[in-house]
């Protein structure tokens, strides 16, 4: 694993653009997960993790891109967080059929279910009511980390 000192010898960091630079040129290619990656001494690293090491002198446990742009590696867009908070800062899942985050049709009872993580918030006649309930519960649970239907432009 690359050390802080090795990293500082190999790269520079542009705080305004969030880019790691080698010989004045940005490094990183797109990984299938959407993050920028770079290979150093035969090992692949995510650029956002290297940026954190470069700026803080230690490896992060888990990082979150605040604006959900996986290639925006400005330090003010990166925050250490728990797994739960990282998941809270997600957009709507591709498999979602309701059009709202945290809202699912519960066929067995004929209501829309609002759910934050594994916690069922309640059941509602309309998906809009369920979405509003999800938003309220998500903000209570995750604070600034919560991505709500309102912030996504759905409500």
């Amino acid at each position: 694993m690359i050390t802080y000192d090795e990293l500082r010898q190999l790269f520079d960091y542009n705080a305004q653009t969030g880019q790691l630079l080698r010989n004045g040129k940005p490094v990183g290619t797109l990984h299938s997960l959407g993050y920028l990656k770079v290979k150093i001494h035969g090992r692949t690293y995510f650029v956002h993790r290297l940026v954190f090491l470069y700026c803080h002198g230690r490896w992060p446990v888990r990082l979150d891109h605040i604006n959900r742009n996986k290639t925006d590696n400005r330090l003010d867009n990166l925050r250490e967080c728990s797994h739960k908070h990282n998941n809270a800062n997600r957009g709507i899942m591709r498999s979602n059929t309701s059009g709202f985050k945290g809202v699912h049709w519960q066929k067995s009872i004929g209501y829309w279910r609002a759910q934050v993580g594994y916690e069922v918030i309640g059941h509602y006649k309309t998906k809009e009511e369920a979405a509003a309930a999800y938003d309220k519960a998500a903000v209570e649970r995750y604070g600034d980390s919560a991505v709500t239907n309102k912030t996504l432009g759905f409500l």
Side-chain angles (χ1 to χ4, degrees):
M1 185 172 289
I2 192 167
T3 67
Y4 171 77
D5 291 330
E6 289 175 307
L7 180 65
R8 299 286 285 203
Q9 289 173 6
L10 290 172
F11 299 99
D12 292 310
Y13 174 65
N14 183 326
Q16 292 179 331
T17 65
Q19 295 174 316
L20 269 186
L21 307 168
R22 190 165 196 177
N23 300 323
K25 296 181 182 175
V27 299
T29 57
L30 204 55
H31 186 275
S32 61
L33 294 173
Y35 300 101
L36 292 175
K37 65 180 179 174
V38 64
K39 198 169 248 190
I40 306 167
H41 307 309
R43 183 172 175 168
T44 301
Y45 295 89
F46 285 127
V47 171
H48 61 285
R49 295 182 60 78
L50 293 173
V51 166
F52 190 91
L53 173 62
Y54 190 97
C55 295
H56 292 288
R58 65 178 178 80
W59 286 102
V61 175
R62 182 171 282 108
L63 284 179
D64 184 30
H65 286 84
I66 296 168
N67 68 5
R68 298 188 321 277
N69 178 344
K70 295 177 181 181
T71 61
D72 182 354
N73 295 314
R74 292 173 295 121
L75 191 59
D76 64 353
N77 187 47
L78 301 175
R79 66 177 161 212
E80 272 193 295
C81 64
S82 68
H83 180 69
K84 284 183 181 182
H85 281 83
N86 196 358
N87 283 339
N89 190 21
R90 280 182 158 171
I92 195 167
M93 302 297 287
R94 286 186 193 132
S95 60
N96 182 297
T97 57
S98 72
F100 293 101
K101 184 173 181 181
V103 175
H104 312 278
W105 177 250
Q106 191 156 355
K107 185 177 180 180
S108 62
I109 61 172
Y111 280 89
W112 293 97
R113 181 181 72 224
Q115 184 172 334
V116 177
Y118 292 110
E119 180 185 354
V120 174
I121 305 306
H123 296 89
Y124 304 87
K125 288 186 179 186
T126 70
K127 56 186 174 180
E128 291 79 10
E129 289 174 311
Y134 167 86
D135 285 4
K136 182 177 183 230
V139 169
E140 287 172 1
R141 179 184 264 190
Y142 300 118
D144 292 343
S145 298
V147 173
T148 64
N149 289 293
K150 185 175 182 179
T151 60
L152 291 170
F154 300 148
L155 284 179

